Amino acid sequence: MTPSDVKATLSFSDGSPSIDLPLYKGSIGPDVIDIRKLYGQTGKFTYDPGFLSTASCQSTITYIDGDKGELLYRGYPIEQLATQCDFLDTCYLLLYGELPNEQKQKDFHKLVSEHTMVHEQMQFFLRGFRRDAHPMAVLTGLVGALSAFYHDSTDITNPKHRDIAAIRLIAKMPTLVAMAYKYGEGQPYVYPRNKLSYAGNFMRMMFATPCEDYEPNEVLVRAMDRIFILHADHEQNASTSTVRLCGSSGTNPFAAIAAGVACLWGPAHGGANEAALNMLEDIQRNGGVEKIGEFIKQVKDKNSSVKLMGFGHRVYKNYDPRAKLMRETCHEVLGALGLENDPLFKLAMSLEKIALEDEYFVARKLYPNVDFYSGIVQRAIGIPVSLFTAIFALARTVGWIAQLNEMIGDPEYKIGRPRQLFVGSPRRDVPPLAQR
Ligand code: SDX
């Protein structure tokens, strides 16, 4: 970051001495005011619940321009990566900062494919769950359990450990997600096949059975790969911030990623794709397009807790570029499957059109986000709704681990430890029991 020649001067109306705070410029995006010395110089904290105006770190990985609806991974626009690269190229880019050349691409694909199996003992963890356990509950447990098997790559101060742990996590997430799915289905696990592509291998582990050969549908494999690319990273979102904060204690990468999985599960975050599809199915069940007006009225009613799931975003105040690409993928997949008239897709497009013309959404700059269409694509591919967020976690693992490694690799990093505005009871003495 570059020191700006502009200073911020903080003055107080109670006559307390004012102080100058340095500003720093990034390569693109808003400048930051460095408040690291604020408490030491003024005895005051800043106050920013939800971190609406707070930069927690400096990063070189992902940049979002919320007003323009722009998303860059290491400077490359998501629209170009999603159409010209595959997910493993995107993983290489997020991890190492540049797209691989042909040789590096071959080496990286081989390296990842050689780490796709999990320890045979891992399957016994699944047996502790009910068959109808939510896949995110299973995945949170399985990812955390990985740390029990890889003591040779849990010292995050060792760059070699960080690198092998990153490869292991990226390589094993598809295997773990497929195992969680097969366990719920009561079907045998399918071992990874190293000669297949990353997305092709995942689709085979999900849908193959011992009873017949599995023939992948290349359109669906490509769609799955694009879904992975679109979900790979997204700067300091809630789950990435969780991974950074968790990892800042020096814990092992598997534990930090398990914390990210747990955070992503929430319906305000990665759980929104499951919630968005359930919302569409509810509207469909209760009358379909004719009922959209009534539903929108509920959403606008402050007394109802109904939200238009898959809409709105803390950063995007324009169309989420991933939602546009996801809608295109919807067309491709539904077309390939002869489902162009899929009622849910038509309902989603009608809902989007009506919402985008409604003052409530326009005034609040609420647009479709990545979760609005991703559920329709995954449902068409045959992914059960309850697995949508696990697939989001699979894809986001590379972003989490790239951000974690960036933090740990920064010699200035410290354990994260926010302060608070205390509004509770001042000091008081414990009364005897008879006086309580
Ligand atoms: C992801 O951060 C990331 O980058 C996340 C993510 C990633 O890749 O990591 O992009 C993935 O999590 C996408 C978001 C998925 N979540 C949803 O689709 C759930 C529905 N969306 C909302 O819960 C909400 O929009 C958030 C949580 C996404 C953003 O919330 P903010 O930024 O805290 O905004 P807010 O809740 O303060 O909303 C501002 C106003 C409020 O109305 P007023 O109080 O001003 O009258 O907009 C309203 C909100 O009630 N609002 C909505 C709404 N989202 C916001 N009203 C109806 N439906 C919605 N979806």
Side-chain angles (χ1 to χ4, degrees):
M1 61 189 181
T2 316
S4 162
D5 49 19
V6 175
K7 291 261 179 289
T9 300
L10 187 57
S11 56
F12 300 91
S13 56
D14 63 358
S16 309
S18 64
I19 64 164
D20 284 344
L21 295 166
L23 263 70
Y24 293 103
K25 285 184 169 310
S27 43
I28 40 178
D31 294 352
V32 296
I33 301 169
D34 183 349
I35 57 166
R36 283 175 288 187
K37 294 195 170 58
L38 179 74
Y39 179 57
Q41 291 179 358
T42 69
K44 292 179 175 59
F45 298 140
T46 57
Y47 183 67
D48 187 14
F51 310 118
L52 286 98
S53 301
T54 294
S56 60
C57 62
Q58 55 181 301
S59 179
T60 61
I61 299 174
T62 293
Y63 177 73
I64 302 171
D65 183 320
D67 295 327
K68 282 200 274 184
E70 181 178 55
L71 170 58
L72 309 176
Y73 289 167
R74 300 284 190 182
Y76 293 111
I78 191 69
E79 294 82 357
Q80 295 181 28
L81 292 169
T83 50
Q84 299 173 42
C85 299
D86 70 11
F87 179 65
L88 281 185
D89 289 348
T90 306
C91 288
Y92 187 98
L93 172 68
L94 290 169
L95 287 174
Y96 308 124
E98 296 298 336
L99 284 165
N101 59 29
E102 201 165 343
Q103 188 53 51
K104 287 182 177 153
Q105 187 186 61
K106 280 200 185 74
D107 295 347
F108 187 71
H109 285 223
K110 182 172 181 299
L111 178 64
V112 170
S113 62
E114 285 167 357
H115 286 276
T116 49
M117 281 212 302
V118 294
H119 194 290
E120 273 300 281
Q121 295 287 101
M122 283 296 284
Q123 60 184 294
F124 300 121
F125 285 107
L126 285 126
R127 289 186 186 173
F129 291 100
R130 289 169 32 150
R131 290 280 180 176
D132 63 352
H134 193 288
M136 285 299 277
V138 177
L139 192 62
T140 305
L142 291 179
V143 175
L146 283 175
S147 49
F149 293 93
Y150 298 110
H151 293 293
D152 66 338
S153 66
T154 53
D155 172 6
I156 51 170
T157 60
N158 179 332
K160 286 195 174 20
H161 281 209
R162 290 205 297 269
D163 208 35
I164 185 58
I167 298 300
R168 280 177 165 151
L169 279 157
I170 292 165
K172 296 178 194 307
M173 281 302 264
T175 311
L176 294 177
V177 171
M179 287 174 77
Y181 171 65
K182 286 300 199 187
Y183 182 72
E185 294 294 304
Q187 290 183 4
Y189 305 127
V190 175
Y191 283 94
R193 190 61 60 81
N194 292 348
K195 68 177 174 46
L196 296 176
S197 70
Y198 188 88
N201 189 28
F202 174 64
M203 296 282 274
R204 184 177 170 280
M205 290 191 287
M206 281 284 293
F207 300 119
T209 66
C211 322
E212 53 195 23
D213 294 338
Y214 173 75
E215 282 308 316
N217 173 326
E218 283 313 317
V219 173
L220 301 189
V221 170
R222 181 74 194 120
M224 196 78 254
D225 191 84
R226 179 178 290 186
I227 287 172
F228 293 157
I229 293 174
L230 296 180
H231 288 84
D233 193 45
H234 216 236
E235 60 143 271
Q236 306 313 317
N237 60 83
S239 52
T240 299
S241 300
T242 300
V243 169
R244 279 180 174 256
L245 191 57
C246 183
S248 73
S249 71
T251 189
N252 69 77
F254 304 100
I257 300 302
V261 174
C263 175
L264 187 76
W265 192 0
H269 190 16
N273 52 19
E274 177 179 353
L277 197 95
N278 290 336
M279 171 192 75
L280 290 169
E281 287 184 333
D282 283 350
I283 298 172
Q284 188 66 15
R285 222 182 352 266
N286 295 317
V289 178
E290 292 72 47
K291 287 291 180 186
I292 290 180
E294 196 179 305
F295 176 74
I296 295 283
K297 207 184 293 175
Q298 267 188 313
V299 167
K300 290 155 63 172
D301 173 5
K302 275 289 157 223
N303 300 319
S304 89
S305 58
V306 176
K307 283 196 181 290
L308 179 49
M309 300 312 281
F311 255 69
H313 199 277
R314 173 62 59 76
V315 178
Y316 288 122
K317 300 309 171 191
N318 198 326
Y319 215 100
D320 181 337
R322 302 168 298 176
K324 275 186 194 147
L325 289 158
M326 201 60 83
R327 193 177 53 194
E328 281 167 27
T329 306
C330 262
H331 278 298
E332 286 166 22
V333 168
L334 295 172
L337 297 172
L339 299 172
E340 295 86 341
N341 297 319
D342 178 87
L344 228 46
F345 185 43
K346 288 189 172 309
L347 176 66
M349 290 194 290
S350 308
L351 187 52
E352 174 193 336
K353 185 174 181 312
I354 292 168
L356 293 181
E357 289 162 359
D358 186 299
E359 181 49 29
Y360 173 93
F361 296 91
V362 173
R364 291 167 177 79
K365 297 187 176 180
L366 300 176
Y367 292 86
N369 58 50
V370 67
D371 294 309
F372 190 63
Y373 286 105
S374 71
I376 299 170
V377 186
Q378 294 183 72
R379 175 177 163 271
I381 290 173
I383 309 276
V385 180
S386 63
L387 206 76
F388 289 176
T389 310
I391 287 184
F392 191 153
L394 184 168
R396 185 54 56 90
T397 293
V398 61
W400 286 331
I401 198 75
Q403 298 268 355
L404 175 63
N405 286 351
E406 178 178 68
M407 176 186 78
I408 302 293
D410 173 356
E412 273 191 2
Y413 101 89
K414 293 176 178 302
I415 185 169
R417 206 277 185 219
R419 302 302 302 272
Q420 63 180 7
L421 173 67
F422 184 71
V423 292
S425 166
R427 183 187 174 84
R428 56 182 172 161
D429 296 328
V430 174
L433 184 58
Q435 291 174 26
R436 286 181 206 162

